[in-house]
Amino acid sequence: MTTILDAVPDDDELGVPAARLRSAELERQIHERPGRFRALTGDRPTGRLHLGHYFGTLHNRVRLQNLGVDMMVLVADYQVLTDRDVADRLAEHVEDLVLDYLAVGVDPDRATVFTHSAVPALNQLLLPFLSLVSVAELGRNPTVKDEIAHSTQSAVSGLMFTYPVHQAADILFCKAGLVPVGQDQLPHLEVARTVARRFNSRYGPVFPEPEALLSAAPLLLGTDGGKMSKSRGNAIALAATADETARMIRGAKTDADRHVTYDPVARPEVSSLVLLAALCLDRDPHEVAGEIGGRGAAALKAVVTDAVNDYFAPIRARRAELALDRAHIRRVLRDGNEWANAIADDTLKEVREAMKALY
Ligand code: ATP
Ligand code: MG
């Protein structure tokens, strides 16, 4: 019998193969008419962003923004409380997140950066949306099961089970059609699509069905071989120093086979390191692995360290510079929140109209 604790979602369970195919088709459509699309995506302010975020979603956000897609970037502050009792140093984490965004190239003149707790009408959508999903559906979500398994809380909160529906509100309040995410988010995208469909059929057409846009690295592994994650102590932060980066990579888990190959299924840890180097060098991972070959894990780690440090040096320098002007960070959020509120107020009005609840 599978218990919640040993449930580790695999690619098929998450629907990764189908999402990869669909992402390729979406890319084609985006390139044809980028102005047709609005994208929304975000992160929990639980700590500094890491390389998994960068190659899983941040890089895509900046690319879409630069192509001319209307980009909404959400700091998911309420969702910090899904797996902990207290949101420690929240304001500091929120500002750090915005700093990371700006450092990688999110441009507040072209993208909207906002915190969902500052947008009341967005949160109000949660109530009708919760009525559209069953408790059994919420309990089946593989990503929620995985997060419960990694949570240190003694009891699972109601927010943990319902946050995918909150996320549906995050996406649907601005009618985003595209959601550039890592593969752990695919089940949540399904919830958002289901909510949109059921709302429309019950009350009339209001919401488009959003679609996931996966990157070339929809699941980057951390130094312990599990999903690289802010809360799991296995992540290389975007803002890490070159020395910290070297130390983390030196300690990364590999396997007993000295010959380096790229084989994500049979050798996930080694392959994730190879992929990281390939992404930073903009090269094919098989080629990178082939060049290292019999020189072993130590040579692989040296290549990865140099590639990461070279790639992120300008981003890290920009981040240090931006960190000197905290007032600018707060201004970016204030402007973003104002615009997000205007959008959310309009959508909530439409929702209440559709539900015949305007008095
Ligand atoms: P936490 O441990 O606090 O949940 P996290 O590292 O899982 O942090 P989130 O804020 O939950 O980060 O995720 C933000 C976005 O980054 C999501 O789109 C998620 O899919 C993506 N992402 C997170 N980790 C990875 C990873 N290791 N590889 C690819 N994408 C990732
Ligand atoms: Mg997470």
Side-chain angles (χ1 to χ4, degrees), residues 41-47 49-53 55-57 61 83-84 147 180-185 215 217-222 226-232:
T41 182
D43 313 274
R44 304 199 304 156
T46 46
L49 292 182
H50 52 67
L51 305 190
H53 294 112
F55 290 112
T57 153
R61 297 178 200 178
D83 60 356
R84 62 204 77 194
E147 287 168 347
V181 282
Q183 70 182 40
D184 59 303
Q185 294 294 314
S215 75
L219 178 66
L220 198 72
L221 302 184
K227 170 185 175 285
M228 188 180 283
S229 186
K230 293 188 218 96
S231 325
R232 298 183 194 177

Side-chain angles (χ1 to χ4, degrees), residues 38-333:
R38 172 174 278 169
L40 177 130
T41 182
D43 313 274
R44 304 199 304 156
T46 46
R48 298 185 303 177
L49 292 182
H50 52 67
L51 305 190
H53 294 112
Y54 185 81
F55 290 112
T57 153
L58 288 174
H59 186 261
N60 252 349
R61 297 178 200 178
V62 175
R63 194 175 56 85
L64 293 175
Q65 161 201 285
N66 294 345
L67 280 171
V69 170
D70 179 7
M71 191 69 222
M72 309 282 295
V73 183
L74 161 73
V75 177
D77 50 354
Y78 273 140
Q79 283 168 19
V80 172
L81 296 170
T82 53
D83 60 356
R84 62 204 77 194
D85 297 337
V86 181
D88 258 344
R89 298 189 290 148
L90 186 60
E92 188 185 320
H93 285 320
V94 168
E95 285 187 12
D96 269 350
L97 205 54
V98 179
L99 259 181
D100 282 331
Y101 293 156
L102 302 186
V104 300
V106 170
D107 172 5
D109 287 336
R110 286 181 287 174
T112 305
V113 181
F114 68 104
T115 49
H116 61 184
S117 71
V119 188
L122 178 163
N123 293 292
Q124 199 173 321
L125 294 177
L126 184 59
L127 292 173
F129 286 3
L130 278 172
S131 77
L132 298 168
V133 290
S134 71
V135 171
E137 283 171 324
L138 294 175
R140 275 200 294 270
N141 188 309
T143 295
V144 171
K145 285 188 196 169
D146 183 52
E147 287 168 347
I148 289 172
H150 284 91
S151 161
T152 50
Q153 272 189 311
S154 52
V156 180
S157 75
L159 185 59
M160 176 60 102
F161 277 102
T162 54
Y163 91 84
V165 184
H166 192 202
Q167 225 167 283
D170 294 339
I171 297 167
L172 297 177
F173 97 93
C174 65
K175 303 187 180 174
L178 279 181
V179 190
V181 282
Q183 70 182 40
D184 59 303
Q185 294 294 314
L186 292 175
H188 302 347
L189 243 294
E190 272 321 307
V191 175
R193 292 167 62 81
T194 303
V195 165
R197 225 171 17 244
R198 289 184 188 162
F199 187 95
N200 294 344
S201 73
R202 198 166 293 180
Y203 301 109
V206 173
F207 296 110
E209 275 186 56
E211 300 201 80
L213 189 74
L214 291 182
S215 75
L219 178 66
L220 198 72
L221 302 184
T223 50
D224 60 356
K227 170 185 175 285
M228 188 180 283
S229 186
K230 293 188 218 96
S231 325
R232 298 183 194 177
N234 65 357
I236 302 166
L238 288 182
T241 63
D243 285 348
E244 279 164 1
T245 303
R247 205 164 40 245
M248 291 291 290
I249 294 175
R250 214 175 306 126
K253 192 171 163 201
T254 51
D255 58 35
D257 185 349
R258 196 176 151 72
H259 198 88
V260 172
T261 54
Y262 181 64
D263 182 352
V265 175
R267 304 184 68 190
E269 297 93 353
V270 166
S271 300
S272 196
L273 284 170
V274 172
L275 178 63
L276 187 50
L279 289 165
C280 292
L281 298 167
D282 196 17
R283 294 190 56 196
D284 178 75
H286 293 281
E287 262 179 46
V288 173
E291 274 171 21
I292 299 165
R295 289 189 293 130
L300 168 62
K301 289 178 177 179
V303 170
V304 178
T305 302
D306 286 347
V308 169
N309 282 338
D310 285 351
Y311 186 96
F312 286 97
I315 290 175
R316 288 167 172 171
R318 204 173 321 138
R319 192 183 190 285
E321 205 175 297
L322 288 159
L324 301 173
D325 190 358
R326 293 272 165 178
H328 175 59
I329 304 292
R330 285 192 290 275
R331 214 160 38 238
V332 167
L333 274 181

